[in-house]
Amino acid sequence: MNVPTPDSLGPSHVAPPVEDPMDRTRFPIDPWRLVETRFSGDDLGTTESLFTVGNGYLGLRGNYEESRDAYHDGTYINGFHETWAINHAEEAYGFARVGQTIVNAPDPKVIRLYVDDEPLHLSVADLLEYERSLDLREGVLTRDLIWRTPAGKNVRVRSRRMVPLGQRHLCVITFEVTLLDQPASVALSSQLLNRQDVWHEFGDQSAGRGVAEGGDPRKAETFQRRVLVPDFDHADPQTGRLCLAYRTAESRMSIGVVADHHLSSRVPFSSKVESEDDMAKVIYRVAAEPGVPITLTKTVAFHTAQSVPPRELLDRCERTLDRTHEEGLEQQFADQRAWLDTFWSRSDVEVHGQPALQQAIRWNLFSILQASARAESQGIAAKGVSGSGYGGHYFWDTEVYVMPFLTYTMPWAARNALRFRYTLLDSARRRARELAQKGALFPWRTINGQEASAYYAAGTAQYHIDADIAYALSQYVGATGDDDFLHREAIDILVETARLWADLGFWRDESRRTFHIHGVTGPDEYTTVVNDNLYTNVLARFNLRRAARAVDELAVDDPEAYAQLVRRTGLAEGEAAEWADCARAMAIPYEEHLGIHPQDMHFLEREMWDLEHTPLEKRPLLLHYHPLVIYRFQVLKQADVVLALFLQGEEFTPEQKKADFDYYDPITTGDSTLSAVVQSIIAAEVGYHDLALRYFLSALFVDLDDRHSNTADGVHVASTGGVWSALACGFGGFRDIGSAQGGSQWKIDPRLPTSWDALVYRITLQGTRVRVTVRADQLELCIEEGSGPLTFDVRGKSITLAADQDDGRICVPLTHQGPRLKGEPPHPAGTQRSDGTVISAIVPSGE
Amino acid sequence: MNVPTPDSLGPSHVAPPVEDPMDRTRFPIDPWRLVETRFSGDDLGTTESLFTVGNGYLGLRGNYEESRDAYHDGTYINGFHETWAINHAEEAYGFARVGQTIVNAPDPKVIRLYVDDEPLHLSVADLLEYERSLDLREGVLTRDLIWRTPAGKNVRVRSRRMVPLGQRHLCVITFEVTLLDQPASVALSSQLLNRQDVWHEFGDQSAGRGVAEGGDPRKAETFQRRVLVPDFDHADPQTGRLCLAYRTAESRMSIGVVADHHLSSRVPFSSKVESEDDMAKVIYRVAAEPGVPITLTKTVAFHTAQSVPPRELLDRCERTLDRTHEEGLEQQFADQRAWLDTFWSRSDVEVHGQPALQQAIRWNLFSILQASARAESQGIAAKGVSGSGYGGHYFWDTEVYVMPFLTYTMPWAARNALRFRYTLLDSARRRARELAQKGALFPWRTINGQEASAYYAAGTAQYHIDADIAYALSQYVGATGDDDFLHREAIDILVETARLWADLGFWRDESRRTFHIHGVTGPDEYTTVVNDNLYTNVLARFNLRRAARAVDELAVDDPEAYAQLVRRTGLAEGEAAEWADCARAMAIPYEEHLGIHPQDMHFLEREMWDLEHTPLEKRPLLLHYHPLVIYRFQVLKQADVVLALFLQGEEFTPEQKKADFDYYDPITTGDSTLSAVVQSIIAAEVGYHDLALRYFLSALFVDLDDRHSNTADGVHVASTGGVWSALACGFGGFRDIGSAQGGSQWKIDPRLPTSWDALVYRITLQGTRVRVTVRADQLELCIEEGSGPLTFDVRGKSITLAADQDDGRICVPLTHQGPRLKGEPPHPAGTQRSDGTVISAIVPSGE
């Protein structure tokens, strides 16, 4: 499962993935569960990420309770981080100063089992049965096994683990041991374990700072010093209640963890407790009899804060646990099921006739949920709460890849994510000042609001994050009609981002014919610090227009709110008009002869990289070539122009979309997991149906098939979000044109793959939930909740859906699934430029 | 002296420097000495650099023997360095891995004086007389003072310090104390002191790695760990011989230091010795009588090596000292004088009628000498051996700024410097491979041959260092006729650098019309990673041509040597022809309407920075703006196109030179000290005489007037070299056209400033030394050594000079000193571009 396959790197030049790449003898198909039927020590990191349970605040990796076989025992709390001074090897003004790294919180998962003093240790145990499953409707991770001990006694061990989605701070674990044939002495050692400080001496050269493992910038930094400074520990011998409390050494955050235990058995047992700085535990000894289950219930509460004393957090934990105790354990499981029933009714996507894909799709959607449900006042990290990859940072991934799912299926979560950005606005204003700009510049990567990107060329230079946030905001407001949020708070984001663009760009001529934005990096990180990046300029144009429109509308609609806006932001007379003017004149690179949009003003002057003949062992390029080499070439890490074609589709003609896709697709490596979903959507739109499906499968199995060999560091949350977009927008053909621009105008132009019987997805617009069913010959729209009316453009025909008409259900016959192109995009090497010269390609080597 | 003046930053927009900015009440004019007549604790760092004595191998900063009043007690040995792993805040493939930092060697300067147990401590002492002088003909630093002790006794203290130029490893110090009126107990404590390990705890976040002070990338890194690991220490009670030996912790270099002492006095004295890990000392107690001098002579030897046991180095030190002892002390001083007599006879430059400038010029020339004389198998560091700035690294500065002086006045030193580069060739080949290139890529900054530049955009990306080395090499061979060196070794450098260019650049069209070099940084570091940087392409073209010519000539002239070359380098059939073709088609950016050469292909698309209205507190820009901001603008750190106009002057018309200078000069900040000398030379050539003189003065006093506020970190050696070029080539009008291209063709077209009576400089060409005297109405050429014949083009007229004709002396009447332009270059803001639009300028601010 974790063996890199030749096509794990994504581009169309390499062998297509099989439709179902998973080993079904180990991971059988199940529509509502991810199931593993055989223990393997070979891909522990991957399965830990896949079997994570979390709620967007608290996440427990899928480590085994015995915690002996593990790639990385991880427990993460969104936003709970340590800071460190970034030491640049060579300093310069304005470089990011404060490193931020998510902290591995004290581990509540540990329950060690001893039978006749022999420990259960999976990798060496004689397992007669084994099943682990993550139930996507129950929201529970279950493991069920029969262990034949060295003494030949058979023992059933069954555990359940849940992080409730209906609340933030809790996790529940049950651990049940049943001797099947002979009596034995059973011991259970349940722990809270601060693993984060089990650090090693790696030599002095990196002491104290965060160092990414193996120099791979995609991994989290590790510390070679104590991060969690003990504040309090206690273990109550009467109740088995364990408490640990800490402060982080530098960021001065506090954390409290309390675990309650309840052992239930018909046979006698004894217990004792221990606690010290980095561990608290309770140990039960039971004289177990065959057929008599021993059930340990462990409920654990976590509270974290920036400025609350750790011991006060322990009080909060105890209140959480006391309440849970009053409600009873089974109520927690019932609540979880109810919560998920609601979730699936709003968010499920069905693919009929494709059970393997169905399972993978649901796992992807469930992963978005686990990353976002209770993120609340925090952002949504690149790995959610499933791993420490990218240090627990928030990126533009949230806005462009995760927000569409949230906006259209769980808008309250979208609102939280946007309000989180709103709380960063002051830091973003300060950051803009450091970069000598007006307005606000959001950090490229951050936890606490400060820029943490230590490589500005592929970090701070990605100014487009400002427009991405404005875009997601506009999409949310348009889809929900939440004008109140827009007018009271979010409009400030529009104003400050528009200001940044107007100040960052410049008029090269006094007649103000074109407005240029220089020295920025677009989404594609294989060229950096370029002039007039197409994506950036197109999104900045949107940002400027949207801000101008919002301000103008507010002035008319709500003069009082407008006056407050002016007071808050110092908005000047004529500012909005200036933004509109910048937008009007925005430089949009276009090459007449090729009929394509250069990725930046000088992109086509670059040499062409011959991806086809680049050996696989040189992929991904970023790990095998110096940036200076990569930057010289026409070669893409991820979709850039093609992403703009999706997000601002109305700004391009179908011919341009095809030409751009044809040009860029063959030179896109897909070295970023953000790429395949976008390539899938535009491939579907322009008519490359097979390719669209291939990219979709690539994204769908990014983690389930560990296609980038780093799922061990956590789930690729942006890709899981992109999977939804690829389904709803790519194959499902949904486009929210209006809300992106600041109105309400929706199109549906589906592209059902021929191998699928039907595709069903749900979209909630302005409070009305519509179920969209795409079949080869028919599109069905059906109101599932709310009343409408909603009007859709279905291939040029306007369809109005209302609950009080035809039971809120309309069927539209389909005669085709969009254009259908033969073959694949031609490689640009060999084609002619406008100057008549022919494009050739090389592989840089030095040999 | 170290107060930054408004014009300390150099560009023409700010007030011109006064002709003589030095405080002459403290530093009186003296044609052959730098003299200080008053102690000041305010600018210790600057005067320590100015009063450095060194020989290119060993350097002692001008610290006082008492070592109580010091900015930085520094003792440097060229190439003696520690290494450390560079921790990039965000890693990427091919980033520099091994940091290298010159080590502060054990300090031999310390001699502490106590009179009646009261220490001499200059900043609080009652000094009745004080003079410190560096004699540029004697090569000796002398200090002479009368101290009135707290008890009211007057004591004359006189010390001399010398680092012999005739050998590498020695320094000599004499310290003489004479009571002038009353008897007293005198104690002298002479030490060897390892200061480098007197380190402090700066918190753990930077432990062990090199961190540049205050984040200023121009400063050396300091270590927060032990660097010199003690190997041996000893103090001989009989002879006063002190020994210390160490290894560096990471680079595993070894150093041995031995000091001999001799106390001479007519009164009785006693002595005792001590030694420990980081110090060895001998203490003399003398019952001193008035009028009876006490003279302590301290001779110290240093030896360093990469792989020799430290104790073996102590043996070498003892041999050095034994030999010195046999020769006698006064012989050392006599040798030094004789050595310098020869030096000045070959290298002196005289400016008649300008005594203040004459003194400053000689100090500058002496500083080049001190940085280079015995560098031998090492490079010539940016600060020579006068300070730790830039970590003791070697840069392109050597080839472009220092080598001309060496080549034309002390060619054996030039040869050493080139052979040093030759020894780096294998590392440079490996580095090219890391950058996916053929050939060799010399490190942008290094001590041990490995790239140490941690910021590639203004480091590794400066590929032009390859061409700079090829240029200096060609200049040396042409000026000296040292074909043997070329054919046996140096030609390999030409081959491998030409290979790099041919591989780095590319043909955009199959018809091979133009050859482009993308993604490089030119000398100007205020734009980076650009396409077709003019300087780079022009010098690369030279490099390609020169290599092709050398290879072709060798094939004809010496088939056997050619065969060896082919064996050494794998030179293939047709390679040289390919280089010539690349050179022929090299892209040279040119803008027709403005008639200028854009600094890079897209330079003119950048916004214009309004330097005139940029507040002085925002200078230098690099310390006040994020690189992303600076890079977006037309604003220069240093001459770039203008440097190409100098080095490859024959490739440009006079009109182009004027147009380019006019365009770039007003947008050049001069934030680099490498800029003013070049601006001076081209200003003189095109006819801005006053401006040329202003830039020259700016460079002449860079250190003497601490104009960049960092002379404390060491002498700006490149600028001292540039001062010579500005004299010989700028005002003196000398151009070596032939040797740069691979032949012998010399021009003289002088530009004598009106305020100078005469300018006299010496040039050694092919073994013949010519004295050139420029007067307002006459140019005199006179052979001082050798026989000639040498032919010069003097303003179009061919002049042949030979020892056997007219006593080797020719006078050419001059009717003018070149073109004379009025005013100053106009600021480009306000001028029109080719598209008819007008250039405007702004100051980025964010407010």
Side-chain angles (χ1 to χ4, degrees), chain A residues 87 207-208 225 250, chain B residues 199-208 211 224:
Chain A
N87 285 314
R225 59 164 165 89
E250 295 294 328
Chain B
W199 76 98
H200 304 285
E201 283 299 331
F202 287 103
D204 68 349
Q205 82 276 16
S206 53
V211 177
Q224 276 84 55

Side-chain angles (χ1 to χ4, degrees), chain B residues 768-770 781-792 799-810:
Chain B
T768 295
R769 185 167 84 239
V770 179
L781 304 179
C782 177
I783 291 180
E784 288 191 331
E785 191 181 31
S787 57
L790 295 171
T791 300
F792 294 88
I799 308 276
T800 297
L801 200 62
D804 54 9
Q805 286 184 313
D806 306 317
D807 283 348
R809 179 194 198 106
I810 292 179

Side-chain angles (χ1 to χ4, degrees), chain B residues 109-300:
Chain B
K109 304 184 295 293
V110 183
I111 299 176
R112 294 199 163 125
L113 168 66
Y114 302 83
V115 175
D116 291 335
D117 294 341
E118 289 299 320
L120 173 57
H121 186 164
L122 291 193
S123 61
V124 297
D126 184 358
L127 299 177
L128 305 186
E129 287 181 16
Y130 172 94
E131 188 189 85
R132 178 160 60 159
S133 72
L134 177 61
D135 191 305
L136 309 172
R137 269 188 305 200
E138 302 287 349
V140 176
L141 175 69
T142 304
R143 191 191 66 180
D144 206 344
L145 59 83
I146 296 177
W147 170 34
R148 185 180 172 85
T149 70
K153 299 178 183 179
N154 293 326
V155 186
R156 173 173 291 278
V157 182
R158 186 164 195 279
S159 63
R160 289 186 297 171
R161 185 186 297 169
M162 176 181 75
V163 174
L165 291 153
Q167 51 182 306
R168 286 192 102 186
H169 301 279
L170 190 67
C171 69
V172 176
I173 300 170
T174 67
F175 197 87
E176 187 182 284
V177 181
T178 312
L179 297 181
L180 296 182
D181 37 24
Q182 304 175 52
S185 160
V186 168
L188 288 170
S189 171
S190 173
Q191 308 182 2
L192 291 181
L193 180 59
N194 174 26
R195 300 172 172 284
Q196 181 275 317
D197 278 320
V198 185
W199 76 98
H200 304 285
E201 283 299 331
F202 287 103
D204 68 349
Q205 82 276 16
S206 53
R209 68 186 281 262
V211 177
E213 193 185 327
D216 183 340
R218 302 168 304 179
K219 290 185 184 287
E221 298 82 1
T222 54
F223 290 88
Q224 276 84 55
R225 59 163 165 91
R226 181 170 270 276
V227 169
L228 291 182
V229 180
D231 180 272
F232 185 77
D233 66 87
H234 181 67
D236 187 324
Q238 304 307 318
T239 62
R241 180 167 278 192
L242 310 176
C243 303
L244 292 176
Y246 302 87
R247 265 200 197 279
T248 52
E250 296 294 328
S251 66
R252 307 305 291 159
M253 295 189 77
S254 45
I255 182 168
V257 195
V258 178
D260 270 1
H261 290 87
H262 177 72
L263 189 82
S264 150
S265 179
R266 286 188 287 110
V267 291
F269 63 87
S270 65
S271 71
K272 67 169 191 169
V273 297
E274 281 175 38
S275 83
E276 54 189 67
D277 277 358
D278 290 324
M279 182 168 65
K281 64 180 170 187
V282 54
I283 302 160
Y284 295 95
R285 300 200 66 88
V286 190
E289 295 293 334
V292 181
I294 303 159
T295 306
L296 177 63
T297 303
K298 182 179 189 179
T299 47
V300 187

Side-chain angles (χ1 to χ4, degrees), chain A residues 87 89 91 204-205 207 209 215 433 435-436 454-456 463 508-509 518-519 602 604-605 629 632 833 837 846, chain B residues 87 91 204-205 207 209 215 433 435-436 454-456 463 508-509 518-519 602 604-605 629 632 833 837 846:
Chain A
N87 285 314
E91 292 281 351
D204 68 350
Q205 82 277 17
R209 66 186 282 263
R433 258 15 118 247
L435 272 288
Y455 179 57
Y456 73 79
Y463 289 80
R508 282 206 62 221
D509 49 305
H518 277 195
H602 305 297
L604 300 183
E605 296 169 13
V629 178
R632 266 184 213 113
R833 296 194 192 78
T837 60
Chain B
N87 284 313
E91 292 282 350
D204 68 349
Q205 82 276 16
R209 68 186 281 262
R433 251 28 108 241
L435 273 288
Y455 179 60
Y456 73 80
Y463 289 80
R508 283 207 62 220
D509 48 305
H518 277 194
H602 306 298
L604 301 183
E605 296 168 13
V629 178
R632 267 185 211 111
R833 295 194 192 78
T837 60

